[in-house]
Amino acid sequence: MRSVKLLVTLGLVVAAAVGCGDQRAPADNRVRDADTAERARRVAAAWEGSEAARVWSRGYYPLGDAVQLPAGAFHDDADKRAYATQNFTLHALLPDTAKKRAKVRWRDGDSLTLPLASAREAYDKVARGGNSGPALTVTAARLGEMTVPTSRGTATVPAWLFTVKGYDTPLKRVAVTPSELPRSPIGAVPERTDALMPLVGLETVARDGRTLTVRAEHGGCDDGPAVDVLETEGSVVFSASIRGTADGPCTSESRVEKLTVKLRHPVGDRIVLDAFTGRPVPPRQQSARPAR
């Protein structure tokens, strides 16, 4: 995967190692490569007024983390390691609930009823460790709520609240599954190049709605990934690429880094799209069912 044409990017410089958080926002959001720009425009145009956009506007698609940590987390390195390795000890009976479905509610009054995960299902998504290292202890669980950013703005969603020993507030885990993703009105690009690659996913959307962190892939013999942005009235289209590639032998090593992008306007209810796939950028914690 070596292109002779060097993509002039937005100046996103990422000095971090794999998964590190040393991220810098681009100077502006102009898409500068002609082919990449044309692809981004085609993706935006395909979604504008489409059936997929209609389905998206009515679904529950979270843009934030499915877990909210207790206040003050974490007290020490042992607790940090326990959470990072998903190592938990359960010292409580997880409650059953007769409810099989629950509502997601938006601030404008809209709501959507979705299947409700059990306390056991939610706990198992958080506690996948089981190693001999430090562990966090769960002493109780109850059904409650939490707020998350979504494609339709902030929503109040059902959540399981787990009491963690040593912390005054619970660890919260979303208790509903995202809606089924709509089928994209435009197909993916047939082949990866250094000038256009698929994004790995959407990491976070900041409170200001303008600062988005995405994850992008690159190799071991380049200067890292970059992301260009096309903003339209109905969508935000990201175009991922690789900077500073050169011809010659190279290892097949694959790395993933985080890039922080500053939009001109808050994302709001616009669709966040990947120019390569032609589909919505998948949120980090989203485990949605496959497209129809």
Side-chain angles (χ1 to χ4, degrees), residues 2 4 21 36 39 70 84 107 120 128 132 135 181 213 217 236 241 259 261 268 287 289 291:
R2 287 292 178 263
V4 297
T36 301
R39 169 63 183 180
R107 290 177 176 175
R120 169 57 66 179
R128 293 173 174 168
S132 59
L181 290 171
T213 301
E217 188 178 9
V236 174
S241 60
L259 301 176
V261 181
S287 54
R289 298 182 291 278

Side-chain angles (χ1 to χ4, degrees), residues 98-167:
K99 294 177 64 175
K100 299 300 181 183
R101 299 176 71 82
K103 282 188 176 182
V104 174
R105 303 189 309 276
W106 283 269
R107 290 177 176 175
D108 62 4
D110 281 352
S111 64
L112 183 64
T113 301
L114 294 168
L116 179 69
S118 68
R120 169 57 66 179
E121 289 170 327
Y123 177 79
D124 287 346
K125 289 182 180 297
V126 173
R128 293 173 174 168
N131 59 70
S132 59
L136 293 166
T137 301
V138 171
T139 59
R142 64 182 176 87
L143 187 61
E145 294 179 331
M146 61 187 278
T147 58
V148 297
T150 77
S151 60
R152 297 164 60 179
T154 301
T156 300
V157 303
W160 285 102
L161 280 50
F162 298 103
T163 301
V164 179
K165 184 177 179 180
Y167 293 88

Side-chain angles (χ1 to χ4, degrees), residues 203-241:
E203 186 78 6
T204 58
V205 178
R207 289 183 179 273
D208 64 6
R210 295 180 58 209
T211 308
L212 280 64
T213 301
V214 297
R215 290 177 295 142
E217 188 178 9
H218 70 106
C221 302
D222 53 56
D223 294 334
V227 177
D228 291 343
V229 184
L230 173 66
E231 295 189 51
T232 72
E233 183 177 351
S235 63
V236 174
V237 185
F238 287 121
S239 302
S241 60

Side-chain angles (χ1 to χ4, degrees), residues 170-222:
L171 180 150
K172 302 179 181 181
R173 211 289 173 184
V174 170
V176 290
T177 301
S179 301
E180 181 180 354
L181 290 171
R183 184 179 297 278
S184 175
I186 186 171
V189 173
E191 185 178 3
R192 299 183 181 202
T193 67
D194 291 346
L196 189 60
M197 297 182 62
L199 280 170
V200 176
L202 176 64
E203 186 78 6
T204 58
V205 178
R207 289 183 179 273
D208 64 6
R210 295 180 58 209
T211 308
L212 280 64
T213 301
V214 297
R215 290 177 295 142
E217 188 178 9
H218 70 106
C221 302
D222 53 56

